[in-house]
Amino acid sequence: MLRYVFSILAKPRLVDTDLLLCLISTSNTIRRQNVHSTPLYNTLPGDDILYKEEHLQMKDSLRKIIDNDINPYVDEWEQEGFFPAHTVFKKLGKAGFLGVTKSTEYGGLGLDYTFSLAMAEELGYINCGGIPMAIGVQTDMATPALARFGSDKLKKEFLTPSIQGDYVACLGVSETEAGSDVASIQTRAEKRGGDLIINGGKMWITNGTQADWMCLLANTRQGLPHQNKSLICLPMDLPGIQITKKIDKLGMRSSDTAQVFFEDVRVPQTNIIGEEGQGFTYQMLQFQEERLWGAAATLVPMETVIQETVKYTRDRKIFGQSVLSNQCVHFTLAELETEVELLRSLLYRTVLLYSQGNNVTKQASMCKLKAGRLARQVTDKCLQFWGGMGYTNEVLISRFFRDMRLISIGGGADEVMLSIICKFMDTLPRPPKVNS
C-alpha cells in the first residue's frame, strides 16, 4: 500500500501530502482489522520520540527494498568495488525515496526533514557503508541547494530526474589542495559571453564515475573567498570533462569515488544555482543536512556491530567460559550501547530544531563529531572481542570497521567540527591586534 502511495506521489500535481496521510490512515485501518497480520514495522528505542506511525511505515517500505534488492548483492558489489547506481536509484526513485523532502511540484513527497532522517537511519540496514553514502549524496548533499535556490528550469532539468532515479548526482567541492577548507578551492568558472568556461579539478567525488551531473562549487569572480563562489549544475558528459581515475579506498568499497578534471568546459551561466557569488553560503547550508544525514547513517551499523558482538562473544568460549562472561567485555558493550543512545538523543533534538527552522550549525557539527568518534570506538572495541576472526573479510564487523572510519574525515574532518563548535562558544583564538 505504502509503495503505491509513494509511486503516486512521485508524479507532481496529481496528489499532495494530505493525500499521503489519508492513504496511510486507510492502510492502517485495513491492517488493524486483520488481527492475525504480522507487525508492519519494527521499532527501536527512542523511535516514538521523533517518529510517528507514518515514519515507521516509510521505514518498513524502504527495508523491503533493502532486503530484496540491495543486501543480496552487497558482497558481490563490495568485491567488484562498484554498485549499479542507476539500477538501485531507479528502484528507490520509483518508490519515492530520492525526494522525500523535495517539493511535489518536481516529483518529491514534500515531507519534513524528520522523514529524511528516518530514511537515513533505515539505510543503515544495508550491509555496507558505501551504498548508503552514495544514496545520501543524491538526496542530502548534491540536491538540497538546487531544491531550495535553483531556478524552475534547473529543477526540471536536474532535480526531477534525480528524484525519479533517472539521473545519478555527485557533489564537486573537495580538491587535492582544498578538502575541509572549502574557501581555498581553486576551480574557476570564467564568464565568456553567456557561458561559463570551467577549468580545474575535483577530488574524492562519490558517484563520480557514474554521475549524470555534478553540483559543482567553483570561483566565478574575483573577491573575498566567501563571496566569489557559485554552485553550478554541470552535466558530466560535456567535452573537456575527464575522469582520471577511480580511487582505490580503504573502505566504502562498493561506492565509486573519482578524481575529475575540467579543461575549458562550457556551460550556460543560467546553470548557476540561485544567486551568483552565494555558492559558499549555499554549500554551508547543504553541509548541515549532510552532517545530520551522516550521523543518522551510523546509528544502525553501530547497533548491528554491538549486537553481533554480543552473539559472537556469548558463543565463543575461552578458558572454560564465554568471552561475554568477562566483566570487561559486557561492561564495555553496555557503555557503547549507552553512547549510541546518547548520540541518538542529540541527533533527534537537533533534527527537531532544524525542522522548526532553526540554525543548527553548532548542533549538527556536534552530531557529526560524536558520530565519527563513536563509530571508530564501537568498531574498534568490538572487533577486539572477535579476536582473529574480526581481522578477516568473512565477518560484517571488519567491513564496518573500514567503512565507518570515513565518518571522521568526509564532510568535514573532526578538527573542523571542533573549530565550528569553538566558534559558537567564542573560544577560538583571535589574531593579535596590530598597533597603528
Side-chain angles (χ1 to χ4, degrees), residues 194-212:
D195 293 333
L196 296 170
I197 308 301
I198 301 170
N199 285 280
K202 295 295 177 179
M203 190 70 169
W204 316 118
I205 306 304
T206 300
N207 299 341
T209 69
Q210 303 186 72
D212 298 286

Side-chain angles (χ1 to χ4, degrees), residues 341-390:
E341 286 305 309
L342 288 171
L343 172 60
R344 188 192 306 277
S345 296
L346 172 62
L347 178 63
Y348 282 11
R349 177 176 180 270
T350 302
V351 169
L352 284 174
L353 289 171
Y354 184 62
S355 298
Q356 295 165 1
N358 294 288
N359 182 339
V360 295
T361 301
K362 175 184 176 182
Q363 291 86 349
S365 301
M366 289 176 169
C367 291
K368 169 72 164 54
L369 173 68
K370 182 62 178 178
R373 291 188 166 183
L374 184 57
R376 291 154 62 185
Q377 184 181 17
V378 168
T379 55
D380 183 67
K381 289 192 173 183
C382 286
L383 188 146
Q384 184 69 25
F385 297 147
W386 285 70
M389 184 57 67

Side-chain angles (χ1 to χ4, degrees), residues 45-347:
D47 272 344
D48 57 339
I49 296 173
L50 186 66
Y51 301 143
K52 308 306 178 186
E53 193 165 6
E54 294 80 11
H55 295 83
L56 300 177
Q57 289 190 359
M58 186 191 76
K59 291 174 72 174
D60 180 77
S61 181
L62 177 56
R63 183 71 174 275
K64 290 176 182 176
I65 294 177
I66 291 171
D67 291 343
N68 296 328
D69 301 303
I70 298 178
N71 272 344
Y73 310 102
V74 165
D75 289 345
E76 175 186 345
W77 294 338
E78 282 283 302
Q79 289 181 357
E80 294 176 352
F82 177 90
F83 83 101
H86 284 89
T87 301
V88 173
F89 285 13
K90 188 60 181 178
K91 176 73 68 172
L92 293 168
K94 283 184 177 180
F97 288 114
L98 298 183
V100 170
T101 62
K102 305 302 191 296
S103 170
T104 57
E105 182 180 357
Y106 300 99
L109 300 183
L111 303 173
D112 66 51
Y113 190 74
T114 61
F115 285 86
S116 184
L117 184 83
M119 175 180 165
E121 274 198 69
E122 199 67 18
L123 288 172
Y125 284 105
I126 296 176
N127 291 332
C128 69
I131 297 172
M133 178 178 67
I135 296 168
V137 168
Q138 181 94 350
T139 60
D140 286 67
M141 302 176 201
T143 53
L146 173 60
R148 186 178 301 179
F149 303 109
S151 65
D152 178 69
K153 177 179 178 297
L154 287 180
K155 290 177 184 177
K156 289 178 178 177
E157 184 176 355
F158 295 99
L159 182 62
T160 295
S162 298
I163 290 172
Q164 294 172 343
D166 295 323
Y167 278 5
V168 172
C170 64
L171 178 64
V173 175
S174 293
E175 300 178 0
T176 54
E177 301 298 328
S180 296
D181 184 9
V182 176
S184 296
I185 65 166
Q186 297 299 308
T187 298
R188 306 181 314 280
E190 299 177 356
K191 297 177 185 176
R192 192 176 301 172
D195 293 333
L196 296 170
I197 308 301
I198 301 170
N199 285 280
K202 295 295 177 179
M203 190 70 169
W204 316 118
I205 306 304
T206 300
N207 299 341
T209 69
Q210 303 186 72
D212 298 286
W213 71 280
M214 173 186 287
C215 179
L216 171 72
L217 185 68
N219 298 308
T220 52
R221 63 189 185 191
Q222 300 296 318
L224 297 174
H226 299 92
Q227 300 173 12
N228 71 341
K229 296 170 175 55
S230 301
L231 285 175
I232 304 164
C233 290
L234 178 67
M236 289 293 285
D237 60 353
L238 295 176
I241 297 178
Q242 182 181 6
I243 299 173
T244 58
K245 67 176 179 179
K246 177 185 170 187
I247 299 169
D248 187 13
K249 308 184 301 297
L250 170 69
M252 303 291 190
R253 302 288 299 175
S254 55
S255 172
D256 60 294
T257 307
Q259 183 177 15
V260 185
F261 282 100
F262 313 109
E263 182 177 357
D264 293 333
V265 179
R266 184 183 294 267
V267 294
Q269 290 187 35
T270 53
N271 278 31
I272 292 176
I273 296 173
E275 184 180 345
E276 184 194 351
Q278 292 299 306
F280 183 89
T281 300
Y282 295 162
Q283 185 54 46
M284 293 305 104
L285 293 174
Q286 284 195 139
F287 275 149
Q288 286 195 44
E289 294 191 6
E290 176 178 349
R291 288 162 184 167
L292 291 173
W293 195 99
T298 66
L299 292 175
V300 170
M302 287 192 289
E303 290 168 341
T304 299
V305 166
I306 292 170
Q307 291 306 313
E308 289 298 311
T309 302
V310 169
K311 294 177 184 177
Y312 181 78
T313 55
R314 177 175 284 126
D315 293 338
R316 178 69 171 172
K317 299 297 190 294
I318 185 171
F319 301 124
Q321 63 177 353
S322 70
V323 173
L324 185 63
S325 297
N326 292 277
Q327 188 181 79
C328 67
V329 176
H330 55 252
F331 273 16
T332 297
L333 294 173
E335 289 174 350
L336 295 176
E337 182 83 1
T338 301
E339 291 296 317
V340 172
E341 286 305 309
L342 288 171
L343 172 60
R344 188 192 306 277
S345 296
L346 172 62
L347 178 63

